[in-house]
Amino acid sequence: MKKSICLYFQVHQPTRLRLYRFFEIGKDSHYFDDFANRTILRRIADKCYLPANRMLLEAIKASDGKFKVAFSISGSVLEQFDRHYPEVIDSFRELAATGCVEFLCETYYHSLASLASPQMFKFQTDLHRKAIEKYFGVTPVTFRNTELIYSDAIGRQVYDMGFKAMLTEGAKHILGWRSPGYVYNGVGAPKLKLLLRNSKLSDDIAFRFSNRGWNEWPLDCDKYLSWLKADDSDVINLFMDYETIGEHQSANTGIFEFMRHLPQTVISDGTFEFVTPAQAAKKHAAVGELSVPDPISWADEERDLSAWLGNELQQDAFNKLYGLAEKVSLAKDDILWTDYSHLQESDHLYYMCTKFFSDGDVHKYFNPYDTPYEAFINYMNVLSDFSIRLDDKLKTSDAREEKPEEKPVIVKPINRPGVKKRPAKKKQ
């Protein structure tokens, strides 16, 4: 039996906030930067999504369907495609029509709901599943949580929602001596199969490809194939952001040529076959259980939650955000619910990260703010206005007296010990 290669791309763009000042609280409730969202989306679509989709479509046809790939496309970016660049959705539909592409399920708003509320987590998962059915005519069967966040508790929730396979990070502190190149079962969900990202081989493309200081630069397909063959695994999971192609690694680095020729190089060698995550889970038996008591992710060297919840700024924002969940469910207002949902996008917390060591450049690259403190102040100003709107809505309705149709959303506050005290806020 040939060994497997599972290639997966994450597609997401946040709904960015505009500069929202203190004196606007209670006066202006337009939070989102429509111009920036449209401009950035169209730029990345022209540099990455459209040309990369054409390239992958050509690779599938040239391989007679032997090349396969998977995508997880957040609901937030699907809304932006629909609003600003519907041609991108059409190009993904062309890929879907080949039957060689799997579309995964995730939280619709690319949120941290799995860490806060089982009800919110399920709601966003169901919403995303319906969106994938609407746009691409397929029902997702594999789950990919925001930023590959996983724990035993999350795995049990995912299994209870009907998924039989889930993607996550092959974190060294979890695996120990074991390899990410095998399928594992989740603890408490023994029928849930886990596919673990090979961080080295994924990051060789996603982060190191254009680094001229890298001792393996330049990377070509034959060299990469030799690395794949040297990995003694059942399945090699290559998971990365789709923006790697053309955005993070620009066209002049040769990334398009590399990705264009890699499928045929691998297929011609005969050692591997490309599989989708669902096919990998079906093909390979689990070799044992993987215990993950505390959540892991694919971010930074720690592979934990510190990119989003590692300091007091982030924890305060997270707790205030999800502390409003029950009120929002009682208000039963579509506009408030939509704003609240987009405020859950994990990117807003990511911008508040205060890491400035080995992962600092990554956080700086993705961050539209000059400092994490500016990101925090801007976000909290927005939440303050949102809270006022929410209270006004509840005061002018009978929502507090009515029995809610569903159980109130239960939220678990985040409190991470050992975090340095944050500096005093800047004047707003």
Side-chain angles (χ1 to χ4, degrees):
M1 183 173 65
K2 291 183 179 180
K3 296 193 290 185
S4 301
I5 293 179
C6 183
L7 179 62
Y8 148 79
F9 293 109
Q10 167 66 39
V11 184
H12 170 66
Q13 288 299 316
T15 310
R16 297 166 185 83
L17 299 175
R18 69 178 180 87
L19 178 62
Y20 192 88
R21 301 184 185 279
F22 175 78
F23 61 77
E24 296 181 85
I25 297 173
K27 300 177 181 178
D28 189 341
S29 299
H30 178 65
Y31 307 140
F32 304 105
D33 193 334
D34 299 327
F35 177 78
N37 289 326
R38 179 177 66 253
T39 303
I40 294 172
L41 182 82
R42 293 190 67 87
R43 184 198 77 203
I44 297 176
D46 288 336
K47 293 173 65 176
C48 169
Y49 304 140
L50 289 174
N53 280 358
R54 286 193 296 269
M55 176 188 67
L56 294 183
L57 182 62
E58 292 168 1
I60 290 171
K61 292 179 178 179
S63 69
D64 292 326
K66 294 179 181 178
F67 175 57
K68 296 179 175 64
V69 66
F71 291 98
S72 184
I73 310 177
S74 73
S76 296
V77 78
L78 282 171
E79 288 182 2
Q80 293 187 52
F81 287 152
D82 221 351
R83 187 178 304 119
H84 304 307
Y85 215 154
E87 294 90 338
V88 179
I89 292 179
D90 292 337
S91 68
F92 277 111
R93 284 176 175 151
E94 285 188 77
L95 286 170
T98 66
C100 297
V101 176
E102 181 180 359
F103 292 91
L104 312 185
C105 196
E106 65 164 276
T107 57
Y108 186 94
Y109 296 101
H110 200 74
S111 75
L112 302 182
S114 62
L115 305 173
S117 165
Q119 294 103 319
M120 189 74 73
F121 185 38
K122 185 178 186 305
F123 171 80
Q124 290 196 20
T125 298
D126 291 341
L127 191 63
H128 189 263
R129 182 164 18 201
K130 292 175 183 176
I132 297 301
E133 291 171 348
K134 169 188 171 183
Y135 284 105
F136 306 115
V138 295
T139 300
V141 297
T142 305
F143 191 79
R144 184 268 190 199
N145 198 17
T146 305
E147 309 296 346
L148 294 187
I149 292 173
Y150 176 82
S151 69
D152 295 336
I154 293 172
R156 287 191 289 272
Q157 294 178 64
V158 169
Y159 180 74
D160 289 342
M161 287 188 282
F163 297 97
K164 300 298 189 293
M166 183 173 177
L167 278 56
T168 189
E169 174 67 23
K172 292 181 181 179
H173 69 279
I174 293 296
L175 284 170
W177 57 268
R178 291 171 294 183
S179 166
Y182 297 91
V183 175
Y184 295 89
N185 287 133
V187 171
K191 294 184 179 180
L192 179 70
K193 288 189 172 181
L194 302 177
L195 302 177
L196 309 183
R197 176 178 178 263
N198 186 309
S199 59
K200 180 189 179 302
L201 290 171
S202 298
D203 291 348
D204 285 339
I205 298 174
F207 293 107
R208 291 183 280 273
F209 183 83
S210 61
N211 182 4
R212 291 174 178 260
W214 182 32
N215 61 356
E216 297 291 353
W217 185 89
L219 180 61
D220 59 40
C221 293
D222 290 331
K223 182 189 292 186
Y224 195 73
L225 175 62
S226 71
W227 295 347
L228 294 172
K229 294 173 71 173
D231 189 291
D232 187 19
S233 302
D234 285 348
V235 54
I236 298 176
N237 298 306
L238 305 176
F239 303 162
M240 62 195 81
D241 287 328
Y242 202 26
E243 294 82 11
T244 294
I245 308 174
E247 174 65 15
H248 305 329
Q249 307 291 342
S250 60
N252 60 17
T253 66
I255 188 66
F256 278 96
E257 288 73 17
F258 176 82
M259 295 302 299
R260 182 176 291 110
H261 293 105
L262 182 62
Q264 195 56 49
T265 300
V266 171
I267 292 169
S268 298
D269 178 75
T271 304
F272 300 93
E273 66 175 350
F274 285 96
V275 296
T276 64
Q279 290 172 334
K282 185 176 181 180
K283 175 182 175 181
H284 299 285
V287 298
E289 286 190 340
L290 188 68
S291 176
V292 187
D294 297 314
I296 59 174
S297 76
W298 70 350
D300 300 346
E301 289 187 351
E302 297 88 347
R303 303 292 195 256
D304 59 12
L305 303 180
S306 57
W308 305 275
L309 296 170
N311 62 50
E312 290 185 2
L313 303 176
Q314 296 167 313
Q315 293 164 24
D316 285 352
F318 178 91
N319 289 333
K320 181 169 183 179
L321 171 70
Y322 283 103
L324 298 173
E326 184 174 349
K327 284 186 176 181
V328 176
S329 67
L330 292 172
K332 300 176 184 177
D333 184 289
D334 289 343
I335 296 176
L336 284 172
W337 183 262
T338 298
D339 285 350
Y340 183 66
S341 297
H342 283 296
L343 290 173
Q344 292 182 54
E345 292 172 7
S346 63
D347 309 76
H348 303 307
L349 294 171
Y350 188 85
Y351 300 148
M352 302 174 201
C353 186
T354 51
K355 292 183 178 182
F356 296 110
F357 298 100
S358 58
D359 299 306
D361 288 342
V362 176
H363 288 271
K364 185 177 179 181
Y365 179 87
F366 290 106
N367 202 329
Y369 299 95
D370 291 332
T371 70
Y373 309 103
E374 290 180 14
F376 174 75
I377 291 169
N378 202 62
Y379 187 75
M380 297 304 275
N381 285 344
V382 168
L383 274 187
S384 294
D385 181 82
F386 181 83
S387 297
I388 293 172
R389 291 170 59 202
L390 184 56
D391 287 341
D392 287 345
K393 175 66 178 180
L394 292 172
K395 288 176 183 177
T396 57
S397 70
D398 295 326
R400 289 185 179 224
E401 299 175 1
E402 294 175 357
K403 184 178 179 180
E405 296 178 4
E406 298 181 359
K407 294 181 180 179
V409 176
I410 300 173
V411 173
K412 300 173 290 183
I414 291 291
N415 183 18
R416 305 277 172 195
V419 180
K420 293 180 180 180
K421 186 177 179 181
R422 71 172 182 267
K425 297 180 183 177
K426 294 183 177 180
K427 290 186 178 180
Q428 303 178 56

